[in-house]
């Protein structure tokens, strides 16, 4: 639990960007975190500080001139249960997918559609992770977080977190103010299956599943994800780089007249969510008709999923960011839609 100087962050971010942290330390409990913050102040550790989980939703565009604190708080506790639910608390440093597998082993339902999302439990509420028709907020019960300003613990209910599409209060008003130390989930003892989204049903059929189970759904999700998303161990990436933008029904109808192939989904509030990947596929740099599969140097747009920007080997954060700027511009020029980045830019 020492503060180290000038540490390469390459092993700590799934983009594999070789940025340096001016200061770096890891903690495994809140006492250690407090001590590190204290030590940092005493040793005049300059600049800002940031919390790092698995580094799978981050793009370092430069060296970090501050203190990077790697969250390593582990532990899974079954708090209590009632007729319907079990309440399970997981340390923020637990690996997300391992936690999902733990829940499957115990037959607790709710997280199976979120299988194989990289990163740690603590970052999951940050952007209300979601996949295959399910969002974290549906099973979220509460979290505990340490206030960097007030230096004490706070508890947040689901309402307090102000969850939205890939969003929460921790990405907005409370950005960089809290260290999430644990998350408590409310999981179903009798499973409710979500199979209508995307290719889940098709994959279950292909697998020959006769009797639906949370394990089968998890396996189907793992199969789909493995077939179309690049494994960060092989090609650096942070999953979807952009969010799917929402527009009014009127705007959608106008776009649909001009671009009959445009893909939109109904939001509960009557607006339409557009598939950003489709729009990115329709645009490209001067030398190509599409961004999909484009590569310049070591920075590129993945060949199977246009939403995913990749680092083939030695791209810098600036290379990836520059590519994202170009994509934003062409999508805006073509469709009049400004895409928002999902990845946290540092
Ligand atoms: C191949 C791939 C597929 C992906 N698929 C999906 C997907 O389907 N759905 C989805 O939602 N996401 C997806 N992601 C994005 C990413 O996995 C998630 O956002 C994940 O929750 C990030 O966790 P992390 O621990 O790696 O966070 P990090 O990248 O370490 O951090 C993300 C942000 O949260 C902050 N943070 C991290 N931990 C804490 C903490 N304990 N307290 C306070 N702040 C903290 C960081 O400062 C940073 O701002 C994917 C990424 C990859 C690489």
């Amino acid at each position: 639990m020492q503060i180290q100087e000038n540490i390469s962050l390459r092993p700590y971010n799934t983009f594999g960007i070789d940025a340096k942290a001016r200061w770096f330390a890891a903690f495994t409990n809140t006492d250690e975190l407090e001590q590190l913050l204290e030590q940092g102040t005493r040793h005049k550790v300059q600049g800002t500080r940031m919390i790092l989980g698995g580094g799978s939703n981050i793009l370092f565009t430069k060296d970090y001139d501050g203190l990077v604190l790697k969250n390593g708080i582990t532990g899974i506790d079954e708090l209590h249960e009632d007729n319907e639910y079990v309440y399970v608390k997981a340390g923020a440093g637990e690996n997300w997918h391992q936690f999902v597998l733990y829940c499957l082993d115990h037959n607790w339902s709710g997280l199976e559609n979120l299988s194989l999302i990289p990163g740690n439990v603590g970052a999951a509420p940050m952007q209300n992770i979601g996949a295959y028709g399910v969002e974290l907020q549906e099973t979220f019960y509460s979290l505990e977080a340490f206030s960097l300003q007030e230096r004490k613990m706070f508890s947040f209910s689901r309402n307090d977190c102000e969850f939205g599409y890939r969003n929460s209060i921790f990405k907005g008003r409370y950005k960089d103010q809290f260290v999430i130390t644990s998350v408590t989930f409310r999981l179903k003892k009798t499973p409710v299956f979500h199979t209508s989204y995307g290719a889940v049903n098709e994959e279950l059929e292909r697998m020959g599943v006769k009797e639906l189970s949370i394990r089968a759904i998890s396996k189907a999700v793992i199969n789909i994800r493995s077939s179309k998303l690049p494994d960060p161990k092989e090609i650096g990436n942070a999953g979807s780089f952009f969010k799917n933008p929402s527009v009014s029904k009127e705007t959608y109808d106008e776009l649909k007249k001009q671009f009959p192939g445009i893909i939109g989904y109904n939001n509960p509030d009557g607006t339409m969510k557009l598939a950003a990947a489709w729009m990115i596929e329709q645009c490209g740099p001067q030398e190509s008709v599409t961004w999909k599969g484009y590569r310049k140097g070591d920075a590129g747009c993945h060949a199977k999923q246009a939403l995913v920007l990749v680092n083939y080997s030695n791209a810098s954060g600036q290379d990836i960011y520059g590519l994202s700027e170009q994509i934003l511009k062409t999508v805006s020029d073509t469709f009049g839609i400004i895409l928002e980045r999902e990845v946290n830019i540092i």
Side-chain angles (χ1 to χ4, degrees):
M1 196 208 67
Q2 264 177 346
I3 299 183
Q4 298 169 275
E5 236 182 303
N6 293 326
I7 294 296
S8 169
L9 292 168
R10 192 168 197 155
Y12 300 107
N13 71 97
T14 59
F15 253 125
I17 302 295
D18 194 15
K20 281 201 174 54
R22 178 79 176 87
W23 312 94
F24 182 93
F27 59 94
T28 56
N29 56 51
T30 37
D31 287 344
E32 286 185 3
L33 169 64
E34 281 193 73
Q35 281 172 44
L36 283 169
L37 292 168
E38 188 57 31
Q39 235 175 298
T41 320
R42 249 188 294 127
H43 292 293
K44 296 199 173 48
V45 168
Q46 299 293 323
T48 48
R49 60 209 156 186
M50 68 166 284
I51 307 299
L52 192 61
S56 64
N57 200 15
I58 272 184
L59 177 68
F60 288 104
T61 55
K62 51 183 184 292
D63 290 341
Y64 189 77
D65 189 23
L67 173 61
V68 174
L69 291 162
K70 172 108 174 87
N71 191 329
I73 301 177
T74 54
I76 299 177
D77 289 317
E78 190 182 334
L79 298 182
H80 59 100
E81 62 182 289
D82 52 32
N83 285 342
E84 224 180 320
Y85 298 104
V86 55
Y87 297 77
V88 187
K89 176 172 159 176
E94 287 289 340
N95 174 272
W96 174 260
H97 182 60
Q98 292 307 316
F99 175 60
V100 172
L101 294 181
Y102 182 94
C103 295
L104 290 178
D105 281 347
H106 287 77
N107 234 352
W108 299 328
S109 152
L111 302 181
E112 51 282 359
N113 291 52
L114 304 177
S115 295
L116 212 63
I117 296 181
N120 293 352
V121 166
M126 289 290 299
Q127 74 153 11
N128 179 26
I129 56 168
Y132 299 99
V134 170
E135 284 187 333
L136 170 112
Q137 62 168 327
E138 289 155 44
T139 45
F140 177 93
Y141 186 69
S142 66
L143 65 76
E144 287 177 326
F146 183 80
S147 161
L148 288 167
Q149 234 162 12
E150 297 181 47
R151 302 274 168 110
K152 60 177 189 180
M153 295 298 297
F154 284 84
S155 187
F156 289 77
S157 69
R158 184 174 142 167
N159 270 350
D160 295 334
C161 293
E162 296 179 9
F163 288 123
Y165 165 59
R166 301 296 181 273
N167 211 358
S168 75
I169 198 166
F170 302 103
K171 259 187 134 175
R173 244 179 324 132
Y174 288 168
K175 190 169 160 50
D176 298 329
Q177 290 186 37
F178 286 91
V179 181
I180 296 168
T181 55
S182 70
V183 183
T184 299
F185 297 85
R186 194 178 76 149
L187 302 169
K188 278 241 176 219
K189 297 203 296 194
T190 311
V192 175
F193 305 123
H194 299 273
T195 60
S196 55
Y197 193 89
V200 178
N201 257 332
E202 278 165 41
E203 180 58 22
L204 287 164
E205 225 167 89
R206 197 201 58 79
M207 286 160 56
V209 171
K210 297 274 176 307
E211 204 179 319
L212 208 50
S213 67
I214 51 175
R215 261 191 192 282
I217 293 177
S218 170
K219 183 76 182 88
V221 168
I222 290 172
N223 289 351
I224 301 166
R225 293 184 72 97
S226 312
S227 72
K228 66 174 206 182
L229 284 171
D231 180 350
K233 286 195 199 96
E234 284 155 26
I235 306 176
N237 77 93
S240 299
F241 199 89
F242 302 101
K243 294 186 188 185
N244 289 320
S246 284
V247 295
S248 68
K249 181 79 173 64
E250 292 73 42
T251 307
Y252 172 74
D253 290 341
E254 277 305 311
L255 284 166
K256 189 83 183 164
K257 273 188 220 149
Q258 237 184 312
F259 307 99
I262 201 163
I263 301 167
Y265 304 97
N266 293 308
N267 281 325
D269 64 0
T271 60
M272 299 293 291
K273 188 180 280 178
L274 302 177
W278 184 87
M279 294 192 280
I280 295 170
E281 281 171 33
Q282 311 312 306
C283 309
Q286 269 170 356
E287 62 270 34
S288 165
V289 290
T290 179
W291 286 112
K292 199 174 180 181
Y294 173 80
R295 174 174 179 171
K296 187 169 183 206
D298 275 341
C301 182
H302 195 244
K304 287 189 190 161
Q305 173 49 276
L307 269 186
V308 179
L309 300 192
V310 292
N311 172 13
Y312 285 101
S313 176
N314 283 314
S316 68
Q318 282 296 340
D319 294 337
I320 305 285
Y321 187 79
L323 177 59
S324 77
E325 285 281 88
Q326 283 180 279
I327 293 174
L328 277 176
K329 178 156 186 339
T330 53
V331 169
S332 162
D333 289 349
T334 310
F335 298 98
I337 301 284
I338 312 282
L339 293 181
E340 199 186 323
R341 293 179 180 88
E342 181 177 317
V343 170
N344 296 279
I345 309 295
I346 310 283

